[in-house]
Amino acid sequence: MRALFSIFGSVGALFLVLSPASAESVEMYLAGVGNSTVMAGVYVNPYTGTVNGRTALLVCDDYFAHSYIAEKWTATVTRYYSDLSQTKWGATFGEAAAKTLYDEAAWLTTRLLSVYSANPTDSERLTQSYLSFAIWTLFSPAAVDSLAGPDKDVVNWYIQEAQTKYKPGSYGGFTILTPVCNSNCSDPPQEFLIADAPEPASGMLFALGIAALVTVHELRRRHSA
């Protein structure tokens, strides 16, 4: 098992080295509103969609932008702990502050996905809603103003919990999908998080990874011999 882990670790490192220097982009499609839970007239996280054709649960971190069902767009891919300059909140708050905010959002997202189901109880719907507003309020403090006093208090409690319980550098499996807005785009879609990285856009990158796996395995076999 240790040898197998080492082999895949080597391949993972090669994937990072062989990634293109330019930002990777993916094609997004918003398919649905998860389990249709609503708070304050807004469908809350997560939503359903596809990333390069692959089905994914999408968690919006951007309360005041707008996306609609069946919308398609291109997004820039940013893995956690890489350069955040092309993310919405990296550009807004700066690299250091954005890293902390995205970490806290990842902690809240993990909590949210742990209670999400196709047929939630009323309690699960409430938790899902509060966690969604907590994510939105991290980046856009005015988002919580959409709620009544007691609901505001719960959302702020979740934010405080995230700020004290998140673990810096522990959410490398998360990916930020930031909409690309060209000269014809006056109202870009929302930015989304997903809890696992989308598949590489290039089939060649995958092939190189497989080749690396075979090479490392062969070197280990010869060394053992």
Side-chain angles (χ1 to χ4, degrees):
M1 183 64 71
R2 183 178 301 171
L4 186 62
F5 175 82
S6 298
I7 291 171
F8 279 100
S10 299
V11 175
L14 282 169
F15 267 102
L16 293 175
V17 171
L18 295 169
S19 296
S22 59
E24 179 187 353
S25 62
V26 291
E27 297 307 310
M28 303 285 298
Y29 175 75
L30 187 62
V33 289
N35 55 22
S36 300
T37 297
V38 175
M39 177 171 271
V42 177
Y43 287 109
V44 301
N45 286 308
Y47 308 104
T48 57
T50 62
V51 182
N52 272 357
R54 180 185 129 185
T55 301
L57 285 176
L58 305 171
V59 174
C60 168
D61 66 16
D62 186 358
Y63 183 76
F64 290 105
H66 300 285
S67 295
Y68 57 86
I69 302 303
E71 186 174 14
K72 298 179 180 179
W73 68 96
T74 300
T76 298
V77 176
T78 303
R79 270 75 181 189
Y80 265 47
Y81 314 121
S82 60
D83 178 9
L84 296 176
S85 62
Q86 296 192 68
T87 66
K88 177 165 186 173
W89 305 114
T92 302
F93 296 113
E95 184 85 8
K99 281 185 177 180
T100 298
L101 290 170
Y102 280 119
D103 265 352
E104 292 167 359
W107 187 90
L108 291 164
T109 297
T110 300
R111 289 286 304 274
L112 189 154
L113 295 179
S114 73
V115 300
Y116 173 76
S117 68
N119 299 294
T121 64
D122 289 344
S123 176
E124 288 170 338
R125 286 188 188 277
L126 267 179
T127 302
Q128 180 182 335
S129 300
Y130 289 138
L131 288 166
S132 292
F133 270 90
I135 293 167
W136 292 329
T137 303
L138 275 177
F139 299 102
S140 302
V144 77
D145 294 338
S146 302
L147 304 179
D151 290 331
K152 278 186 180 182
D153 293 340
V154 178
V155 168
N156 287 326
W157 181 85
Y158 272 117
I159 291 173
Q160 291 170 12
E161 191 176 33
Q163 291 170 341
T164 57
K165 292 187 177 180
Y166 86 96
K167 297 180 179 178
S170 298
Y171 309 101
F174 277 77
T175 302
I176 305 161
L177 302 170
T178 307
V180 176
C181 191
N182 56 33
S183 59
N184 297 320
C185 179
S186 58
D187 188 13
Q190 294 160 319
E191 182 178 83
F192 289 93
L193 310 177
I194 57 175
D196 60 335
E199 295 170 355
S202 168
M204 181 175 292
L205 183 59
F206 176 77
L208 287 169
I210 294 299
L213 174 61
V214 172
T215 300
V216 173
H217 179 69
E218 179 64 17
L219 289 172
R220 287 184 175 278
R221 187 187 66 81
R222 291 180 183 180
H223 179 73
S224 297

